[in-house]
Amino acid sequence: MFETSHVLGALLASSPLLAQAWSHCTHANASNSSFVVEHHDDTVYVAFSGTQTSALSSSVAGGELFGPVPISTGGGQELFAPLVGGKGDDAQPVLVQAAALRLFLSLYNSSEFRLLVSETGSRSVVLTGHSMGGCVASLVALHFLCSSAGSGSPSPASLLCITFGSPLLGDDALSRAVLRERWSGRFCHVVAQHDIMPRLLLCPLNSMPPRLVTSVTDLMQSWHFAVRYPGFSRPSFRLSDDQRTELHRFVGVHVAAAEQQQKSPYRPFGNHALCSAEGAACIDDPLIVVKLLHLTFMADPGSSSIEEQHISYGDLVAEISQNVLSKKRIRIEEEPTRSSGYSAGVSMALEASGIRIQDMGAAEARECLETRMWRRPNMNCASLAIKLAKVTPCRAQIEWYKTLCDDDMGYYDCFKHRKAAKRDAKVNMNRIKLGHFWDGLLAKLQDNELPHDFHRRSKWVNAAQFYKLLVEPLDIAEYYRCKLHETRGHYLPHGRARRYEVFDRWWNEGEEEVREAATWKKKKRSKFAGLTQDSCFWAKVEEARECVKRARAEKNPAKLAKLWDSVSGFEGFANRLIERKEVSVDVMAPRSSYSLWVEEVKELKLKRASSVLVGVER
């Protein structure tokens, strides 16, 4: 195992990206426009001003402008369609910061934005912004990504969004939607160790004491003046020691509460570069980001000050870059008891984020990073892939069983009637093992232990579909063999396992490329399918046989007509499947339930025709 967060941070710091992005942010903050566009080599940099929101600082006490609103507000339904179009567990509305959405919609409806779209179309684009400018940059990036996902307006060929000291933008639904769409790598949020702005919205602003409201408001106005007029000397506003201690305690306590109890509606998304003078650590797990936002903030600030951190990203970026270029290394000998390469990597990540060995939260931060490897959804996904390989022989044995039974009565009826007790018992054991595997997988997915786009990954969608087509007929056979339909009712409405309904939804809601990559394409078949394409076909056969049985004894003309409608409906359905060759050869086996049903229907039709003829003669 390797801890790579500090490696990614070093890679980022050694590139010119951060320095160039911050340079453009300073130009945007000092300008009179909402954004500036500058070209650097083949890349277009678009920097959004963080000073356009100075009027908002007076609203910290009420928190209404920093409160969450649906992203669909004011026309966002169309602008962010992939984000608001979640289904199933992702159907809850996406909430974003009201102030940021208001600024974005104002920008979107301007003529300057239309020029921006035309200038960035089919280009490599870096969107950047400081403070609230970073929130606007993130919304513009999300809009561009949503447009490229559909057939909307022209969008950049490649896109990266870099923010500096930006407040949190959206809630957990936005974080999950970004993960679902695989857009996390498009966002890099740079956060200084003791900058309160990226942490402020994890606090309940409505409960902030009036004296703290005054302190934060004064700080925001001071920051605004410093970045808006960089030619002047920085303002002399300073918090008193008591104000600084109270603000530090308020932010620290509520960020810790947000990590444990999730009281704040806001959650991180994308990658966060947690920076200190020693380096940067890039983290993409939202839960770990919140925890480290707390632990890094509570570490000893040394000579840094809350007043300066939010507006000193230029100095911080230069210092980090210099440390990386000078190949500074952590002194591993400070921890003689930890000799593994992984532990050394964790130590370097902690140092890069600003947590020293002697800091109070160092042990907790180390545990957080060390357990992160095993809690990571991608790690769980890789572990599941190994488990899938281990249960694949169970699936293969069921396939062999099906092949052996195809020529006689088909594997559905062989399993239902238990023609070969020993062989059928082994198949039943394999059926149960496969069911346990897939039920465990769904439990992990429900507990958010797997990637949020897991149900869109073709590997798993196709594996689930194949499992369903192969094994569900056996579940149906077991249901009717045990005569559960006599006590519970037929399989489809009363006996179908939840996993099959979930797999149906995965398949039907899957992306087009998943279906195109599947082995069963919607083309005219030249031979019968390996597996019947309706996994519930045999349940429908059982219901149809029940209808025929009841029709034989039914005397009421109205009820008999209804039964015949059901029989004719299934007959048409089955004939269409057979005509398109979407059934397996076992369906037409001489002694299969379907073949028996066909004979029963023919016999019943002859009997019905005879009775009609007798009636006419009379």
Side-chain angles (χ1 to χ4, degrees):
M1 297 188 302
F2 297 92
E3 174 56 49
T4 59
S5 56
H6 65 290
V7 178
L8 293 174
L11 178 64
L12 184 66
S14 62
S15 76
L17 268 175
L18 293 185
Q20 290 173 1
W22 177 254
S23 174
H24 298 307
C25 283
T26 59
H27 295 164
N29 286 338
S31 71
N32 294 319
S33 60
S34 56
F35 66 89
V36 296
V37 179
E38 299 183 30
H39 296 260
H40 192 93
D41 296 331
D42 296 329
T43 303
V44 179
Y45 281 82
V46 184
F48 296 87
S49 173
T51 61
Q52 55 188 311
T53 58
S54 59
L56 302 181
S57 60
S58 60
S59 302
V60 171
E64 62 276 3
L65 285 178
F66 292 106
V69 297
I71 199 172
S72 56
T73 304
Q77 181 79 25
E78 296 179 358
L79 302 180
F80 302 100
L83 299 180
V84 299
K87 299 179 182 179
D89 296 335
D90 295 324
Q92 67 182 99
V94 171
L95 304 180
V96 295
Q97 188 193 125
L101 185 60
R102 180 180 301 182
L103 290 168
F104 167 77
L105 292 175
S106 175
L107 172 64
Y108 178 80
N109 293 318
S110 66
S111 57
E112 290 84 356
F113 189 80
R114 289 188 285 275
L115 292 174
L116 173 64
V117 171
S118 62
E119 190 166 354
T120 57
S122 302
R123 303 286 298 274
S124 295
V125 177
V126 175
L127 303 175
T128 187
H130 171 241
S131 195
M132 283 297 295
C135 292
V136 178
S138 295
L139 283 173
V140 172
L142 288 171
H143 170 62
F144 281 162
L145 290 169
C146 289
S147 297
S148 63
S151 56
S153 57
S155 56
S158 65
L159 179 68
L160 178 64
C161 179
I162 302 175
T163 70
F164 297 90
S166 173
L168 296 179
L169 176 63
D171 66 345
D172 184 60
L174 175 64
S175 180
R176 287 189 286 107
V178 170
L179 286 170
R180 183 185 71 231
E181 299 295 333
R182 306 188 194 186
W183 291 343
S184 293
R186 306 282 190 165
F187 296 89
C188 177
H189 305 289
V190 182
V191 178
Q193 184 176 1
H194 295 100
D195 183 359
I196 66 168
M197 279 304 289
R199 300 166 170 90
L200 192 61
L201 293 189
L202 290 172
C203 307
L205 300 182
N206 291 329
S207 64
M208 185 180 287
R211 58 187 177 278
L212 276 187
V213 172
T214 302
S215 299
V216 173
T217 301
D218 291 343
L219 267 179
M220 287 185 172
Q221 292 174 346
S222 171
W223 292 336
H224 171 261
F225 185 87
V227 298
R228 180 70 178 84
Y229 305 104
F232 292 86
S233 60
R234 291 186 176 177
S236 58
F237 173 77
R238 288 289 184 273
L239 296 172
S240 67
D241 290 342
D242 290 341
Q243 288 175 319
R244 189 179 296 109
T245 300
E246 185 179 15
L247 180 58
H248 193 273
R249 183 183 299 114
F250 178 84
V251 173
V253 166
H254 288 292
V255 172
E259 165 217 330
Q260 296 172 1
Q261 304 171 18
Q262 297 190 356
K263 289 185 177 181
S264 169
Y266 291 101
R267 275 294 172 269
F269 70 92
N271 291 272
H272 279 67
L274 304 177
C275 301
S276 71
E278 304 298 331
C282 290
I283 309 290
D284 60 358
D285 185 320
L287 296 177
I288 302 299
V289 169
V290 173
K291 192 172 188 69
L292 290 181
L293 283 175
H294 168 238
L295 295 175
T296 54
F297 186 75
M298 298 307 294
D300 184 7
S303 60
S304 63
S305 67
I306 290 178
E307 297 93 331
E308 292 291 329
Q309 286 256 309
H310 185 61
I311 56 176
S312 300
Y313 279 93
D315 298 336
L316 180 61
V317 167
E319 188 171 5
I320 294 173
S321 178
Q322 184 60 39
N323 284 341
V324 170
L325 292 175
S326 63
K327 301 187 183 211
K328 183 175 180 181
R329 293 288 184 268
I330 186 172
R331 294 187 296 276
I332 302 297
E333 63 270 17
E334 292 180 2
E335 292 188 279
T337 61
R338 299 181 182 272
S339 58
S340 74
Y342 180 64
S343 292
V346 171
S347 297
M348 296 179 75
L350 291 177
E351 185 192 46
S353 64
I355 299 176
R356 292 169 294 184
I357 296 172
Q358 65 269 27
D359 285 332
M360 184 173 58
E364 187 177 358
R366 171 175 288 279
E367 181 182 1
C368 174
L369 286 179
E370 288 180 344
T371 57
R372 162 177 169 258
M373 174 65 72
W374 301 111
R375 291 205 308 257
R376 279 194 308 193
N378 285 335
M379 196 71 179
N380 291 333
C381 189
S383 176
L384 274 178
I386 296 172
K387 292 179 180 178
L388 177 63
K390 290 181 178 179
V391 298
T392 296
C394 298
R395 191 184 74 182
Q397 289 178 27
I398 294 177
E399 291 181 73
W400 296 333
Y401 174 77
K402 178 184 180 302
T403 303
L404 289 173
C405 300
D406 277 349
D407 295 334
D408 181 22
M409 61 187 340
Y411 81 124
Y412 170 78
D413 286 283
C414 281
F415 189 72
K416 178 181 176 183
H417 298 294
R418 295 294 200 270
K419 291 298 183 181
K422 186 175 180 180
R423 184 177 64 187
D424 293 335
K426 190 171 184 179
V427 168
N428 190 46
M429 181 179 64
N430 290 331
R431 176 185 70 89
I432 294 171
K433 285 181 179 179
L434 289 170
H436 285 165
F437 168 78
W438 288 103
D439 284 342
L441 180 149
L442 292 180
K444 285 183 176 293
L445 188 63
Q446 187 172 358
D447 294 338
N448 294 322
E449 295 178 14
L450 296 175
H452 286 80
D453 65 343
F454 182 86
H455 63 289
R456 289 188 168 195
R457 298 187 178 185
S458 59
K459 170 190 174 74
W460 293 103
V461 172
N462 289 330
Q465 177 74 355
F466 189 87
Y467 160 75
K468 183 188 70 171
L469 296 182
L470 177 68
V471 177
E472 187 169 14
L474 299 181
D475 286 0
I476 298 169
E478 184 69 8
Y479 189 84
Y480 284 95
R481 187 187 77 84
C482 297
K483 300 187 182 304
L484 295 177
H485 62 291
E486 295 178 359
T487 55
R488 300 181 187 175
H490 280 293
Y491 174 85
L492 278 174
H494 302 292
R496 197 179 192 210
R498 172 182 169 271
R499 59 179 174 271
Y500 297 126
E501 296 174 357
V502 173
F503 298 157
D504 277 343
R505 188 165 66 245
W506 286 7
W507 183 252
N508 294 329
E509 296 176 359
E511 298 172 331
E512 281 302 317
E513 57 264 28
V514 172
R515 294 195 186 95
E516 290 173 3
T519 57
W520 40 84
K521 298 182 181 180
K522 294 288 185 178
K523 294 181 179 179
K524 188 173 182 180
R525 296 176 180 271
S526 60
K527 59 181 182 180
F528 287 109
L531 295 169
T532 300
Q533 297 303 287
D534 183 350
S535 63
C536 294
F537 177 82
W538 294 107
K540 295 172 184 177
V541 169
E542 295 288 355
E543 291 184 20
R545 294 193 74 181
E546 176 74 16
C547 288
V548 170
K549 181 179 178 181
R550 289 170 56 193
R552 284 175 179 157
E554 186 59 59
K555 302 299 181 182
N556 186 307
K559 292 182 178 179
L560 184 60
K562 192 172 182 180
L563 289 170
W564 271 109
D565 287 342
S566 298
V567 170
S568 299
F570 175 72
E571 186 177 32
F573 165 76
N575 287 338
R576 286 191 297 273
L577 283 182
I578 294 171
E579 182 182 352
R580 295 196 297 261
K581 291 184 167 55
E582 292 184 358
V583 296
S584 174
V585 292
D586 67 305
V587 170
M588 273 81 67
R591 295 195 296 152
S592 74
S593 292
Y594 175 74
S595 296
L596 295 177
W597 176 83
V598 170
E599 294 301 321
E600 291 168 355
V601 171
K602 286 180 181 179
E603 180 184 338
L604 192 59
K605 285 181 178 179
L606 286 173
K607 184 178 178 181
R608 187 184 187 195
S610 298
S611 62
V612 171
L613 183 60
V614 171
V616 170
E617 289 177 352
R618 288 180 182 176

